[in-house]
Amino acid sequence: MYNTLSSFYNSKQWHDVRMQLINERADNDGVVHCAECGKPIVNRHDLIAHHVKPLTMQNVNDFAVSLNPENILLVHAACHNEIHNRFGYCTQRKVYYVYGAPCSGKTSFVNSVKGNSDLVVDMDNIWQAITGGQRYEKPNALKTNAFGVLECLTDMVKTRAGKWERAYVIEGGAVKGIRERKIESLGAEPIFIDTSKEECLKRLLNDPERTPEQKKEWQKHIERWFNDYTE
């Protein structure tokens, strides 16, 4: 029995069914095409398993609905948002917990799928907003303020305060236990941005926004994330 939607989305049962559908619906080259627009879904983190009959607390334990392949479409994240807007599903206040290593592409992914009425909770965005400076400047004098804003926004997501349609909470989420508790507390669906350590380091090296000193610091963050990460 699932007591919340997030516990269902975070369950092995759901992940197994989702992976089975991906394998079954992929073409000979291993590519899944979006059931909404027909275009290939290049990145796995951009693949959303959409329930045609919306999942609710009233039917999440009815596996003829929640785990029925005929009720599940594989679509792009952006197409998924359009479907929800078209049929008014946005009243469910969908929350996504987007996690992965530093420089894995979490913010870029969210920017590619979010709408103007979506709430984005991203610590790097918060720092940039309160300093009014370069994106990766994080003066210690403003640390209390930055984390205060983060706590406020996170509480808004938990309590569904405001009129936003979807919320994207962006974090590292390396440690499984901490990650799962956060997903549960937010009532969120997880999206893992699975990028290799080598690619993260390459992106860091080629990033024009970071100073050499910041790159050294972020390299430590990347190394630490991959040391701490548990599936």
Side-chain angles (χ1 to χ4, degrees), residues 190-207:
I191 296 178
F192 178 39
I193 309 300
D194 189 5
T195 306
S196 70
K197 179 179 177 180
E198 293 72 20
E199 180 61 25
C200 291
L201 291 171
K202 179 181 176 181
R203 292 176 183 178
L204 175 64
L205 181 64
N206 296 326
D207 186 356

Side-chain angles (χ1 to χ4, degrees), residues 26-83:
D27 61 20
N28 292 334
D29 296 321
V31 177
V32 175
H33 286 72
C34 177
E36 176 71 7
C37 71
K39 297 179 181 179
I41 305 176
V42 178
N43 298 310
R44 285 297 169 94
H45 59 257
D46 195 25
L47 188 156
I48 300 293
H50 165 68
H51 286 88
V52 178
K53 181 176 181 179
L55 211 57
T56 66
M57 281 310 305
Q58 287 67 46
N59 62 26
V60 67
N61 291 298
D62 180 357
F63 297 154
V65 175
S66 59
L67 298 176
N68 183 356
E70 295 183 0
N71 190 46
I72 301 169
L73 300 178
L74 303 182
V75 298
H76 286 106
C79 291
H80 184 243
N81 290 348
E82 291 179 5
I83 293 170

